[in-house]
């Protein structure tokens, strides 16, 4: 019987590929632990986390939508990245205390850096206002991106984020044509089972790029449309793997097995 486990919590959570990633690394390292999915809604979060604090088998959890903001408030201590983002995607139990971290921020910065060919983007349009969007804003501001245009379905929340992160560009209505160097989708639109995302890419420059944080399906309609137009694009799997790689040592006390062959096998499993 497994004596220890970690998990990913959220609602919905059935689509999450985190158990595949962590499960593969646990198998490769021979660690006797599990990584699970647990569907937890916003109204259930506080009671669930309080109960888990004193569960000796529970190592912690990754946090996905729509819990990233509320989960931060339940923590006893917080990493700088989670405070900067105002959201966490990782809760770690330490002797009954909860430590909040945000491994999304570093993973987002890594993918953006690759898409932008190592250069600091001059301008980026961000779709979304939730916990993932906050991690994007934290990553972009850390990279020195000056012009960030937030498009949110809730205009008040978009304006609040623009003020919180001291953005120089005012928010635009959701669905406005994208004219910036980069576009990042931090909404669930386009996810398997969710409503489609309709974005006008016709005004993006030739050197532009698109980053869709959605990882299921691996290639979203947004990524396909960007590639059709000759725009560099990435889905959410690279970010998901990198944030998991940063979460794994905190949860299981070991570095994940990375390398060309290991990463290739992981991607094959994720494609199944």
């Amino acid at each position: 019987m497994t004596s220890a486990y970690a998990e990913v919590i959220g609602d919905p959570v059935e689509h999450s590929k985190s158990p595949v990633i962590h499960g593969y690394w646990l198998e490769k390292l021979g660690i006797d632990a599990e990584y699970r999915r647990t569907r937890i809604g916003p109204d259930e979060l506080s009671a669930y986390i309080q109960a888990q604090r004193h569960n000796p088998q529970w190592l912690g959890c990754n946090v996905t939508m729509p819990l990233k903001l509320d989960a931060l408030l339940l923590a006893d201590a917080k990493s700088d990245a989670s405070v900067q983002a105002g959201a966490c995607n990782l809760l770690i139990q330490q002797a009954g205390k909860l430590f909040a971290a945000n491994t999304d921020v570093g993973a987002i910065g890594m993918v953006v850096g690759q898409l932008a060919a190592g250069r600091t983007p001059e301008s980026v349009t961000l779709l979304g206002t939730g916990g993932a969007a906050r991690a994007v804003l934290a990553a972009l501001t850390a990279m020195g991106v000056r012009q960030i245009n937030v498009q949110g379905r809730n205009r008040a929340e978009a304006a609040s984020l623009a003020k919180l992160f001291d953005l120089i560009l005012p928010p635009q209505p959701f669905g406005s044509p994208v004219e910036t160097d980069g576009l990042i989708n931090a909404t669930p639109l386009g996810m398997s089972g969710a409503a489609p995302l309709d974005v006008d890419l016709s005004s993006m420059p030739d050197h532009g790029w698109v980053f869709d944080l959605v990882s299921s399906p691996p290639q979203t309609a947004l990524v396909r449309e960007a590639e059709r137009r000759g725009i560099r694009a990435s889905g959410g799997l690279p970010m998901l793997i990198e944030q998991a790689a940063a979460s794994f040592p905190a949860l299981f006390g070991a570095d994940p097995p990375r390398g060309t062959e290991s990463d290739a096998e992981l991607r094959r499993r994720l494609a199944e």
Side-chain angles (χ1 to χ4, degrees):
M1 180 178 178
T2 300
S3 60
Y5 72 95
E7 60 188 343
V8 56
I9 63 172
D11 185 15
V13 76
E14 294 80 10
H15 68 280
S16 175
K17 297 183 181 295
S18 292
V20 177
I21 298 171
H22 289 277
Y24 171 66
W25 289 337
L26 290 170
E27 175 189 319
K28 288 279 288 185
L29 294 174
I31 296 176
D32 182 23
E34 290 182 357
Y35 189 97
R36 309 171 180 175
R37 296 182 187 91
T38 305
R39 186 171 184 172
I40 300 293
D43 294 341
E44 305 166 294
L45 178 63
S46 179
Y48 183 78
I49 292 300
Q50 294 305 326
Q52 295 298 77
R53 279 178 182 267
H54 306 292
N55 179 354
Q57 294 179 316
W58 189 73
L59 301 174
C61 63
N62 285 114
V63 183
T64 188
M65 69 178 83
L67 308 177
K68 294 185 178 185
L69 281 66
D70 292 339
L72 181 68
L73 302 178
L74 299 175
D76 302 297
K78 306 171 179 66
S79 71
D80 290 343
S82 66
V83 171
Q84 184 183 13
C88 76
N89 74 313
L90 176 64
L91 288 173
I92 307 157
Q93 179 183 219
Q94 298 174 338
K97 300 292 186 180
L98 291 177
F99 178 74
N102 194 313
T103 62
D104 285 340
V105 175
I108 290 166
M110 184 177 300
V111 176
V112 170
Q114 293 170 349
L115 287 169
R119 297 187 295 270
T120 300
E122 291 187 7
S123 58
V124 175
T125 295
L126 168 63
L127 308 181
T129 58
R134 287 169 176 255
V136 170
L137 286 169
L140 293 179
T141 54
M143 294 175 71
V145 180
R146 295 288 299 154
Q147 300 182 62
I148 306 172
N149 199 314
V150 178
Q151 293 187 16
R153 288 172 287 179
N154 185 314
R155 295 289 298 278
E157 290 182 1
S160 178
L161 272 188
K163 181 177 181 181
L164 180 64
F165 283 86
D166 197 26
L167 304 183
I168 62 176
L169 296 179
Q172 286 186 334
F174 196 82
S176 298
V178 179
E179 300 176 338
T180 49
D181 295 335
L183 168 67
I184 301 178
N185 176 36
T187 77
L189 296 177
M191 180 189 296
S192 299
L197 174 63
D198 185 17
V199 181
D200 184 355
L201 305 180
S202 61
S203 298
M204 288 194 76
D206 293 338
H207 63 270
W209 50 267
V210 168
F211 179 17
D212 193 345
L213 271 61
V214 170
S215 58
S216 179
Q219 189 177 53
T220 62
L222 174 60
V223 170
R224 291 197 301 271
E225 174 62 14
E227 292 180 341
R228 187 184 72 81
R229 292 177 175 273
I231 297 172
R232 283 170 294 174
S234 173
L237 278 182
M239 172 201 160
L240 185 64
I241 292 171
E242 294 306 326
Q243 68 81 18
S247 299
F248 191 87
L251 293 170
F252 299 108
D255 291 329
R258 303 295 303 273
T260 302
E261 292 186 6
S262 180
D263 285 0
E265 172 61 17
L266 175 57
R267 289 178 179 275
R268 186 189 67 77
R269 294 194 182 194
L270 287 169
E272 292 178 348

